[in-house]
Amino acid sequence: MPEKCPVCGFRYELELGFYWGAMYMSYGLSVVIVFLVGISLYFLANDPPTWVYLTTVAATIVLCTPALFRYARVLMLYLFGSVSFDPTFNRK
Ligand SMILES: [Zn+2]
């Protein structure tokens, strides 16, 4: 993660350890994915054996980890960092 935004110069780390809370965001997002994949397998694959659930959920979580990492930080920044998007900023 870059230290500052290359466009507006916003410093991402608002305080020391600010992104520790993003771990809980990431956990929550992972739980949602596990439930969605599990429910999808149950209905679309007609309740497959347990090993299919385990491998599919594990593979999905591993594949989603880079996105989860980033979106958890973005959520943390927007929910607890008093940051909001300004579409008119830096427009000429
Ligand atoms: Zn910026």
Side-chain angles (χ1 to χ4, degrees):
M1 184 171 184
E3 190 177 315
K4 290 181 177 181
C5 175
V7 176
C8 66
F10 175 76
R11 223 181 99 238
Y12 289 120
E13 183 131 11
L14 301 177
E15 61 187 39
L16 195 63
F18 177 74
Y19 291 105
W20 278 78
M23 288 190 304
Y24 300 103
M25 302 276 182
S26 178
Y27 174 74
L29 292 172
S30 300
V31 169
V32 169
I33 288 174
V34 165
F35 274 108
L36 289 177
V37 169
I39 288 169
S40 300
L41 278 175
Y42 182 81
F43 287 109
L44 298 177
N46 205 14
D47 196 15
T50 305
W51 70 266
V52 175
Y53 282 106
L54 292 175
T55 52
T56 307
V57 165
T60 305
I61 290 295
V62 167
L63 288 175
C64 289
T65 296
L68 284 175
F69 180 78
R70 284 168 176 80
Y71 281 113
R73 284 177 168 238
V74 168
L75 276 175
M76 186 73 193
L77 198 56
Y78 272 84
L79 293 177
F80 300 107
S82 306
V83 174
S84 60
F85 176 65
D86 179 10
T88 61
F89 185 83
N90 205 25
R91 197 169 277 169
K92 290 165 187 151

